Amino acid sequence: MKEAEQKTTHFGYKTVAANEKAAHVADVFHSVAAKYDLMNDLLSFGIHRLWKRVTIASSGARKGQTILDLAGGTGDLTAKFSQLVGDTGRVILGDINDSMLKVGRDKLRDRGLVSNIEYVQMNAEELPFPDNSIDVITIAFGLRNVTDQSKALASMYRVLKPGGRLLVLEFSKPEHEVLTKLYDIYSFNILPKVGQVVLNDSESYKYLAESIRMHPDQETLEGMMKDVGFEQTSYQNMSGGIVALHRGFKF
Amino acid sequence: MLGHFAIAAIETLANRLISLAPQVQARLAKVQGQSLVVHVRDWQQFISVVYASEGLMLQVHDAQPEYSDCFISADTDTLMKLKEPSRLTQLIRQHKLDIDGDIHLAQAFSQAFSELDIDWPEHWSQYIGDAPAQLLWQAVSQGKARALEAQGKLDHILLTLLQDELKVSIHPLELTQFTRQNRQLKSDVQQLEQRLDKLLAQMPMQQTRG
């Protein structure tokens, strides 16, 4: 009984068995995959594109590198990285959810981006790559869905090459109280309604709002990165802290 | 974030222009995948430029990226002068320009855009038909010519005003001549004064005699 209590985690505001969270998250993303890009544009007013631009600018990606776009979803970052690393490099689009991977693969292939991209269904906690094999890892709006985030960060640290860097783009804690209140009103009242209208699914967007509140704040996440070995860690708040880009290096 | 927004808008515009000019695509294909980083000194920003399979990729950085095939550091005025390769040496000697890496990469980007020649009537005709597109192009061309003419006149007026303004301050030669003439006048006045004194001195004597 005690062991069973220890192996629980949060799924939004609910507490679920740790080994069931991945399945719950999978259900959410199976539901939203088809209109994921549209919903991102609608709900963030297109600003998610700027957040991703900042991530790419911070990545230092260049010709010949191997880049892992974890929880890469529909491949926004992968598309840009694919062009930056060129034919001599490679980009691995990894996601635990096969629906998201399929949408991403179809989208990138339609754009003619085929030569240097691999698609791998993977769990961020158990990355299927050798030690010291990846130059840059990005995980954009994916870490909060991972069951054991510290284990995932440790796995990322393991596969990064010395000198490699991890970029975590994730919703975070707004810096100002007024913004927090406005953001709460938006998240809990408008987000689920838009989800209901566009996808006939308000629950997935209720989970989105709840999972953001349960995600570690900026300082805590930076601490978690340090704990697994990352050095020169830093974070950059964007849009008043609604989103933060964390960066850490392996030396 | 504003810098990223601005650079995203510029990237979209540049890629739209490139898509309308096949000759630019051909020129840029030679430098595909190579990274040019421009440090704009007066903005304190680093802008990286890469031409890739989907077009131009521009990124703005707060610090110098670790890697680039060509790095240029200059202020905006100097960057505008880079179209003239003959001035490069002079600008470097004046410490207005720093270059590290393959300068031909920067020149390739500069040349590609400076020779941008888009067949606008051809593109517009897809939306509004041949004849209206041609008429629109003629109107735009005439408007552009008039604008250039007006600008030329304005430049001339400004130049004239500035030259007239310059005449307000005295040229050194004019000052020398004025000083010389002033001295001469002073000397003449002194002589006249002496003569007058002399004449006045003679007057009582004539009165006494009378």
Side-chain angles (χ1 to χ4, degrees):
Chain A
M1 183 70 184
K2 193 179 177 185
E3 191 179 327
E5 280 174 7
Q6 284 173 341
K7 289 185 179 178
T8 58
T9 187
H10 55 81
F11 174 73
Y13 286 163
K14 295 175 194 162
T15 301
V16 297
N19 58 5
E20 288 175 6
K21 179 173 175 176
H24 287 296
V25 172
D27 288 342
V28 168
F29 283 93
H30 284 310
S31 170
V32 303
K35 291 190 176 171
Y36 186 78
D37 287 340
L38 171 69
M39 289 299 285
N40 274 352
D41 279 333
L42 271 178
L43 297 175
S44 74
F45 311 106
I47 300 172
H48 74 102
R49 294 167 189 273
L50 286 178
W51 297 332
K52 287 169 183 170
R53 284 189 79 94
V54 176
T55 307
I56 288 166
S58 303
S59 70
R62 60 174 189 260
K63 277 183 296 186
Q65 285 191 324
T66 300
I67 295 180
L68 171 60
D69 180 14
L70 253 178
T74 55
D76 284 349
L77 292 178
T78 296
K80 296 282 185 189
F81 284 136
S82 160
Q83 295 175 72
L84 287 172
V85 301
D87 290 334
T88 53
R90 69 176 176 141
V91 185
I92 303 155
L93 173 54
D95 206 299
I96 197 167
N97 187 287
D98 63 326
S99 296
M100 294 294 284
L101 267 183
K102 280 175 190 163
V103 172
R105 187 183 57 195
D106 291 347
K107 189 171 103 179
L108 297 178
R109 284 184 177 172
D110 286 348
R111 286 169 65 171
L113 300 168
V114 289
S115 62
N116 59 0
I117 302 175
E118 295 168 23
Y119 302 88
V120 183
Q121 190 174 0
M122 67 179 82
N123 183 345
E125 295 168 29
E126 304 281 354
L127 292 175
F129 303 106
D131 296 359
N132 309 320
S133 57
I134 308 282
D135 293 292
V136 178
I137 298 177
T138 59
I139 178 164
F141 306 112
L143 189 64
R144 73 178 187 284
N145 298 316
V146 174
T147 305
D148 188 338
Q149 293 173 2
S150 290
K151 192 177 175 188
L153 290 170
S155 183
M156 294 174 210
Y157 185 81
R158 177 184 65 78
V159 301
L160 270 178
K161 289 179 185 174
R165 74 181 77 180
L166 166 67
L167 295 162
V168 181
L169 180 65
E170 190 54 89
F171 292 106
S172 205
K173 190 179 173 189
E175 295 168 285
H176 305 290
E177 199 58 39
V178 176
L179 182 61
T180 303
K181 283 178 182 164
L182 290 172
Y183 185 46
D184 281 347
I185 292 168
Y186 176 73
S187 302
F188 290 105
N189 296 290
I190 298 171
L191 271 183
K193 282 179 183 153
V194 175
Q196 181 63 37
V197 170
V198 179
L199 287 169
N200 196 26
D201 176 7
S202 60
E203 282 303 307
S204 294
Y205 287 90
K206 192 178 158 206
Y207 163 72
L208 170 69
E210 290 175 359
S211 65
I212 291 168
R213 299 314 183 279
M214 297 304 289
H215 186 65
D217 64 13
Q218 289 90 329
E219 294 292 336
T220 309
L221 180 55
E222 189 182 4
M224 288 164 67
M225 290 170 69
K226 282 180 181 163
D227 287 345
V228 298
F230 282 102
E231 295 177 57
Q232 290 187 14
T233 55
S234 61
Y235 65 84
Q236 174 186 354
N237 283 329
M238 292 186 275
S239 305
I242 288 174
V243 162
L245 176 65
H246 282 74
R247 186 160 63 164
F249 292 83
K250 176 181 176 179
F251 292 116
Chain B
M1 288 287 278
L2 278 176
H4 288 276
F5 178 75
I7 215 79
I10 293 167
E11 182 186 281
T12 306
L13 178 67
N15 280 322
R16 185 75 189 125
L17 291 174
I18 290 170
S19 70
L20 298 175
Q23 75 278 16
V24 173
Q25 294 171 35
R27 283 192 203 111
L28 290 178
K30 293 172 189 166
V31 295
Q32 187 167 329
Q34 295 185 58
S35 166
L36 166 69
V37 172
V38 181
H39 173 214
V40 188
R41 289 179 187 172
D42 33 1
W43 297 351
Q44 286 299 306
Q45 294 283 328
F46 296 84
I47 296 170
S48 63
V49 187
V50 177
Y51 183 69
S53 58
E54 284 200 322
L56 210 61
M57 288 179 72
L58 302 178
Q59 292 169 57
V60 63
H61 311 264
D62 293 330
Q64 185 179 349
E66 293 152 33
Y67 173 82
S68 62
D69 292 295
C70 177
F71 174 78
I72 291 177
S73 175
D75 58 24
T76 41
D77 285 344
T78 308
L79 288 170
M80 295 299 169
K81 292 173 187 164
L82 292 185
K83 288 178 188 168
E84 305 162 45
S86 57
R87 299 197 63 179
L88 287 180
T89 311
Q90 183 195 356
L91 291 169
I92 292 168
R93 280 185 184 160
Q94 291 171 344
H95 302 290
K96 289 182 176 174
L97 173 69
D98 287 327
I99 298 177
D100 186 14
D102 182 8
I103 183 62
H104 295 108
L105 178 60
Q107 286 173 337
F109 277 111
S110 171
Q111 197 181 15
F113 282 98
S114 61
E115 293 174 9
L116 192 70
D117 184 19
I118 297 169
D119 188 355
W120 290 111
E122 174 66 25
H123 294 294
W124 293 342
S125 67
Q126 294 169 11
Y127 303 101
I128 57 174
D130 288 341
Q134 196 57 39
L135 284 172
L136 180 61
W137 175 244
Q138 280 177 354
V140 170
S141 300
Q142 283 171 1
K144 189 179 169 187
R146 280 183 197 143
L148 285 172
E149 192 184 348
Q151 191 189 356
K153 281 180 185 169
L154 189 65
D155 287 349
H156 179 71
I157 291 166
L158 279 171
L159 190 67
T160 310
L161 282 171
L162 286 169
Q163 284 173 339
D164 286 348
E165 188 72 20
L166 281 174
K167 285 183 180 175
V168 172
S169 65
I170 302 166
H171 192 279
L173 284 173
E174 284 180 307
L175 181 64
T176 310
Q177 191 183 8
F178 173 78
T179 310
R180 197 184 300 130
Q181 286 173 342
N182 202 24
R183 278 192 201 124
Q184 183 64 44
L185 182 64
K186 196 175 174 185
S187 170
D188 289 348
V189 169
Q190 282 176 343
Q191 282 182 10
L192 183 63
E193 193 179 358
Q194 284 173 0
R195 285 185 66 187
L196 282 172
D197 287 344
K198 202 174 177 182
L199 285 170
L200 286 171
Q202 286 174 355
M203 277 183 73
M205 287 175 68
Q206 284 175 352
Q207 282 174 355
T208 310
R209 280 177 196 165

